[in-house]
Amino acid sequence: MAGLLRRACTCIIVVALAASGATAEPLAGFPANPGFEDGLDGWTVLAPDGAASVEAGGGATGQRALSLRDGWVISAPGGEAVAGWLAVSLRARPPGNSDDAGSLLVAMTASDDRPPEALASLDAEAFRRGWRSVCVEMVAPRGGEARIALGVDGAQPWLLDAVAVEPIDRAAPPDAGVVLPNDLPAGWEPDGLLDARERTIAAMRELLVDVGGLEIGTPDAVTAPRGRRGVLPVTVVNRGQREKQLTISVAGPPGFFVPERTVTIRPSGTTVFNASVQSFALGDAWVRITFSCEDDRAETPVRVTTTVSYPAAGACWLSGTPSADELAAAASLDAQVYAVLAPSDGAADVFRGLPPALTRLALLGAPWSEASARAAARTLSGRADALAIYRPRAEQPPEDVSALVGALGDQETALVLGPPLDLEPGPPPTLANDDLEVACGLGEARAIAAPMLRLPALQAAALAEVSVDGRPVTAAQPCWTRLQAAANLDAVAAAIRARARLPLFISELAASPSGSPTADALVMARVLTAVAWQGLTGFTLPARPSDCPSGAAALSLLDEQGAPRDVIGRAFAELARELAGAVPLRAWSQTEQIGLSDDALIGFRPFMRGDEGLLALWNNTGADAGLMFETRTQPLDIHGVEIGPAGVRRTYIGAFHYSEDAIALNRPVVFVSLGPGQFKLLSMQLADPHAGWLGAVEFAPEPERERRNPRDFYEQWLERQAGM
């Protein structure tokens, strides 16, 4: 299995993010006393008496080495130069008796007054006898207070020496296969039918264009749920004797996201497929579709009506009314929900200017009364799409929540969400009995569309490659398993749904900064996908730093000036596009190594959206992982979002074909590679969409030498499908 994790798998998802960047020269003077030649000077010991000492004559590179068991040593801070992604290396020798040797632990921390939480754990079994080189790639906390922490959790002493730190320079990865047309102006309308002509069949109006010897037909109007892709039927007649390549480019006003797609059109026949007009802005809008084949092109207009669907991703403003520029900045990230805090007796003024193309959630703050709640619901009719009684974190809820929520629902003009309920930190997080009674009672009374839950502010941290003598460590790392446990809502969702079958709404997801925006984005991607799999109405992140809990502004979407943040904003936008309207599916096939558990080597979550299958994957180990997943229907295209230590990347394959390795295995599998810590979310249009589209997710084997005939592969697969 370790070999499978290390192998660079053949991957049809173009190229994976690099696991490691280029390292620079070691940081001079950090840590102080790296070889323990001056005893424990420059290091703080958090261990029982006698558990940490310096031994003479046994160092790996010098005369001395640290002997450590059952505790930690923490270096002095390194100052402002210690920032971002770092490669921490050292020499280590485990004890000869490995029965109770435990593990070597490595962390970065901002303080030395308490034992840190380990980011990396290297079991003694990963070492051979004698001195070995260890390297751990992780992120330094911000503020110039970063310290290296080395620990041992076994009763036998380890010898440690030659600690060094090198900055890692990671280049932002380019997108691959993604071509986006320029936006049309808001409110754009076509000049007639452009290049199209009209035909009516059985009272159905169709627009036709001729391009490169192809006759192409589309409806003149479609209705699409928010976020749904394959909703535009396209019929192509090719009367020629050879196949042709047809490129579809959809330009729309802001709120549309449609990469160009090229489809193979078969000869002497008709090809029918569903094209994407993915939109996040509710209401009606015109798009301009350009069809290109060889040196010919033609344009046709289509009117798209986007309707409400859930879940929806959004931003929340809790510290003041959003400005027009802030609203526009959030819309540019394809946010679909605007949640704004306003006093219950003055909410109408706040919501007067919010755009109706997005779902408007009114968070009604104090003062509360049944009369003010009823009046707010009445005056917000047509201005807010959802209402909730709101209280800030750690403040006491109103005395009679049920009566207030009931008053909001009297008008029946908007969805009503439950008041925010603060989850207690775990891991896993839990819901206090009183709050559980509130959520279940409102749900049983059908007074709310969803309970609103708030996770505790997370501690963002990230890890990349972990190796011993250059061999990547294939064990799940505590940095990632701890994060997954901190966001595991299995028990909370089950407790609520035992009494009220409701979706959840996750409000104000927040985290303290890790020290790197790419690491913060990794935390956000993993947590949002894990909670989305619980079945959500939606989720929000703080819009501005001032909307975040104190010290937990890592996930704010906008900066202090109200502009989208580069990495976090980009990651949110990509996740918002893929998770919008996604319905979680049961994972029918999983193992201890690859599955839903917090400590799995590879985590995954399956979804479905219309004719698309979605699969989120993340790597909890310190090694590259070559994977494959079986599809029980043919993928037609694949959208990919990759978030890793180097940043955010989108990929697109407009015409998917199973790879030579899949044909050699005689299995309909898609190959994916994951770098250490990396996250990927794949969205595939399916030829025959159904809830059981995903088979097993497995480690990829070595490719077979013998290659099968592709025709035999497809014929045998179709025979198996027909016999099911």
Side-chain angles (χ1 to χ4, degrees), residues 521-619:
L522 262 173
V523 169
M524 178 181 70
R526 286 166 169 259
V527 172
L528 281 183
T529 306
V531 298
W533 190 75
Q534 297 293 341
L536 302 183
T537 297
F539 57 83
T540 60
L541 276 71
R544 306 162 296 199
S546 59
D547 301 313
C548 300
S550 177
L555 305 185
S556 69
L557 302 179
L558 312 178
D559 61 21
E560 289 82 355
Q561 287 72 45
R565 294 176 59 203
D566 289 341
V567 179
I568 286 293
R570 169 78 191 278
F572 171 85
E574 301 294 6
L575 293 168
R577 292 164 187 152
E578 300 310 317
L579 294 175
V583 178
L585 297 178
R586 178 175 294 180
W588 294 102
S589 179
Q590 59 171 318
T591 66
E592 291 184 1
Q593 294 180 338
I594 303 177
L596 306 180
S597 68
D598 299 332
D599 56 358
L601 303 181
I602 304 295
F604 75 89
R605 300 291 187 274
F607 299 84
M608 195 166 183
R609 176 175 62 186
D611 64 352
E612 286 183 288
L614 289 78
L615 179 62
L617 297 151
W618 51 83
N619 185 352

Side-chain angles (χ1 to χ4, degrees), residues 17 41 58 61 70 158 184 215 221 252 300 303 313 339 369 407 482 605 653:
L17 290 176
D41 287 354
T61 59
D70 281 335
W158 290 56
L184 297 175
E215 183 184 73
T300 185
R303 189 166 183 82
S369 68
R482 187 168 54 246
R605 300 291 187 274
I653 298 172

